[in-house]
């Protein structure tokens, strides 16, 4: 099935100009279809078949890729939509920018910290796939103080109901009133993984915050706040997972 649309509409939909602006581009001879200049208004094209150029640059109607870093507060589900109507991380983003975005991996409702959101499915898939071993850093306040033997178990792997965890690191950051703040680094991301690991060692989690994702941190970002990733950060993440 072919779906023809007017050239000016296609250019406008690709976000290059308004419909009127696109008409001006066409009349001015700045637009080519399959390598041939087209100056006639009303020319129809098939976006799936015809290659459109404006000023010798190919025009794509693929949605622009977007990447955001959110400082998630507690109380929000990491999902695009909750059938029960509970607050989700999408509620923390303005309507204009959240269209098409989804969270990269997941933080539990009561977990705070760094969460990426994007509409780039390939990058999101790779960033969360254990094969790529992307490092995620957490600060976990646990009940009691784990022994050095307990901390070693993070490296050795801890047996959970869904199998042994892959090597992780944990060290004690501080101890307050008999409870330890652990700095933990994971390279995989199973459901409730840190809570289950700590519970297995008899040091249940009191609170959990993700403080880093690869080289990204929460620096300068208060809870509830978000920012767009820079192009350098996007290419950095892409190269970590073999996309560039
Ligand atoms: N591990 C957990 O248990 N919960 C999270 O939200 C993230 C890692």
């Amino acid at each position: 099935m072919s779906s023809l649309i007017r050239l000016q509409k296609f250019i406008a939909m690709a976000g290059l100009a308004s419909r009127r602006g696109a008409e001006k581009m066409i009349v001015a001879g700045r637009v080519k279809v399959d390598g041939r200049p087209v100056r006639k208004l009303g020319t129809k094209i098939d976006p799936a078949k015809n290659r459109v150029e404006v000023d010798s640059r190919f025009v794509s109607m693929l949605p622009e890729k977007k990447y955001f870093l959110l400082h998630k507060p507690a109380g929000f589900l990491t999902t695009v939509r909750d059938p029960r109507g509970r607050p989700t991380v999408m509620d923390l983003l303005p309507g204009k920018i959240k269209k098409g975005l989804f969270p990269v991996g997941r933080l539990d409702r009561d977990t705070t910290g760094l969460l990426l959101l994007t509409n780039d499915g390939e990058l999101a898939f790779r960033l969360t796939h254990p094969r790529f071993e992307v490092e995620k850093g957490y600060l976990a306040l646990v009940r009691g103080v784990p022994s050095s033997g307990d901390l070693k178990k993070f490296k050795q792997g801890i047996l959970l109901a869904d199998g042994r965890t892959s090597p992780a690191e944990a060290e004690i950051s501080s101890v307050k009133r008999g409870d330890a703040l652990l700095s933990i680094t994971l390279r995989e991301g199973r459901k409730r993984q840190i809570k289950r690991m700590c519970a297995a060692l008899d040091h249940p989690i009191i609170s959990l915050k993700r403080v880093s994702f690869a080289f990204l941190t929460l620096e300068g970002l208060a809870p509830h706040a978000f920012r767009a990733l820079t192009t350098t950060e996007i290419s950095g993440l892409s190269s970590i997972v073999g996309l560039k």
Side-chain angles (χ1 to χ4, degrees), residues 106-108 111 138 190 192-196 208:
R106 124 182 221 291
L107 293 178
D108 297 333
T111 300
Y138 296 85
R190 305 189 205 169
R192 305 183 69 251
Q193 182 166 345
I194 293 186
K195 287 181 185 158
R196 291 189 292 138
L208 182 61

Side-chain angles (χ1 to χ4, degrees), residues 2 12 20 55 64 72 75 87 92 105 133 182-183 198 214 225 232 237 242:
S2 78
R20 180 82 194 105
D55 297 335
E64 187 198 350
K72 178 191 174 299
L92 299 164
E133 300 189 348
L182 303 182
S183 169
C198 292
T232 314
L237 288 179

Side-chain angles (χ1 to χ4, degrees), residues 31-48:
V31 180
K32 288 183 195 157
V33 176
D34 296 334
R36 278 189 295 276
V38 171
R39 286 172 181 259
K40 205 172 133 220
L41 289 178
T43 303
K44 289 192 171 167
I45 60 134
D46 180 347

